[in-house]
Amino acid sequence: MSASRTSRLSYVIGIDAGSTKTDAIVANLEGRALGAGTSGCANWELVGEKGAAAALEDAIRRALDGASAELANVRHIHIGAAGLDWPEDEGRLRAALAPFLGDVPLTMENDSYLGVRACAPTAHGITVSAGSGVCASYIGATGEKYFYGYFGELGGGTAIDQLALQAVLRAEDGRGSKTELTSSIPKATGHASVRDLLHALTREGYALTHTIIRPSLFDTAARGDAVAIDVVTTFGRELGLMATNLIMKYRLKGSAPWVVASGSLFTRTGPLLFDVFRRIVRGEDESAAVRLNDRPAVAGAVRVALNACGSKANGNWEAISASYRGVLDA
């Protein structure tokens, strides 16, 4: 690569490619965010390789436009993507992106690693992510990586929706304890009763989306409803177990490992789930630094891209990553 071309490579791009949305940030080599772009689902398992590539390309273009930058001036791109669960999955996405990215250096990993990369001082430790699904990951100080949770274990958003609905049905027919969920969830869906909701689900093609059921569940739990609290607590225990299992697996107990709780179920539902999670983890290892991820996951992807370029941004990472939230919200 010629010296003149190298001098023009002034940017990096980090991408958090999720099942719900995709965030991209263009940053300079000091880590300052210059532009951001958001698009839809980039999980190839849900939309196929071409659909995932289209979402990624859209987010990249939007971020480049916001930065008034050109793809030709990008030194490195790092993508943390939902659905990159097996070694062969990366090849699928690389092939789909190749016509757009050309020879721009690109690295990829499962998006479960981005939480600890985004907010842990040393960028290593444990992340437990809870959103549409659930994953837990570990990055060691020497770069060792491990993750699990992609088979839909108890703890993910889809399963918590099902358990909340089950609690409603059991309370209605008498098998379970009474709960305010029998009124709050039908009301949120626009149905007069649990019976009407059940009929709509089984005979009218109605789909109970997470945007309806989860706010009702967590709001009801916050008001002290025992059944709703039990549903949330069940998930908190399972998510805590995912972290404590990694603490024991990698002999981290007593070493003050960073344990980052990331994803919308943690960050957008109030304190209950995180409080349960933290209690479980600290009960196993009181030295653990359990933190709610207060940085956008895409910051972790930018950090990897910067490191690939030899950037010294890590020394000021706390301030740099804190600024990314405002760029995405702009």
Side-chain angles (χ1 to χ4, degrees), residues 41-298:
C41 172
N43 183 339
W44 76 270
E45 293 175 312
L46 302 179
V47 296
E49 295 96 324
K50 291 183 178 179
L56 287 162
E57 291 169 19
D58 184 42
I60 290 170
R61 287 193 179 97
R62 291 173 184 269
L64 288 168
D65 288 347
S68 298
E70 300 292 334
L71 184 60
N73 300 134
V74 173
R75 182 173 292 190
H76 195 95
I77 296 174
H78 183 74
I79 300 173
L84 290 186
D85 299 334
W86 298 100
E88 65 268 25
D89 296 341
E90 183 175 325
R92 300 172 185 269
L93 203 50
R94 279 187 177 275
L97 286 169
F100 174 65
L101 294 183
D103 61 356
V104 178
L106 170 67
T107 50
M108 299 187 209
E109 64 185 348
N110 187 275
D111 61 341
S112 66
Y113 295 108
L114 296 184
V116 77
R117 292 194 188 280
C119 68
T122 57
H124 60 76
I126 294 166
T127 304
V128 175
S129 300
S132 301
V134 57
C135 274
S137 65
Y138 169 69
I139 302 175
T142 59
E144 181 178 11
K145 295 169 69 176
Y146 178 82
F147 87 102
Y148 63 102
Y150 43 87
F151 294 121
E153 285 91 341
L154 183 62
T158 301
I160 203 170
D161 296 346
Q162 294 170 343
L163 192 55
L165 181 59
Q166 183 185 62
V168 168
L169 298 178
R170 289 172 67 87
E172 179 71 7
D173 64 29
R175 289 175 294 161
S177 300
K178 291 187 179 299
T179 170
E180 289 183 20
L181 292 172
T182 56
S183 59
S184 64
I185 288 180
K187 182 178 179 180
T189 66
H191 294 89
S193 66
V194 173
R195 181 182 176 83
D196 288 346
L197 173 59
L198 182 59
H199 186 268
L201 288 168
T202 58
R203 290 294 181 266
E204 299 171 15
Y206 178 74
L208 192 60
T209 66
H210 68 273
T211 56
I212 292 175
I213 195 167
R214 292 178 205 169
S216 296
L217 170 64
F218 284 96
D219 288 348
T220 304
R223 293 195 297 271
D225 182 84
V227 172
I229 290 172
D230 184 60
V231 171
V232 175
T233 300
T234 297
F235 280 85
R237 286 196 298 263
E238 288 295 322
L239 295 168
L241 178 60
M242 297 189 88
T244 59
N245 178 57
L246 290 173
I247 288 173
M248 303 311 291
K249 181 181 179 69
Y250 289 99
R251 299 186 176 94
L252 304 175
K253 189 171 182 177
S255 66
W258 269 72
V259 179
V260 177
S262 193
S264 59
L265 275 178
F266 278 122
T267 61
R268 299 180 184 175
T269 59
L272 178 58
L273 184 65
F274 177 69
D275 288 347
V276 173
F277 174 79
R278 177 171 52 192
R279 184 169 67 250
I280 296 298
V281 176
R282 293 295 301 274
E284 181 65 43
D285 183 2
E286 63 182 12
S287 80
V290 186
R291 299 289 186 271
L292 186 64
N293 188 9
D294 59 352
R295 302 288 189 265
V298 67

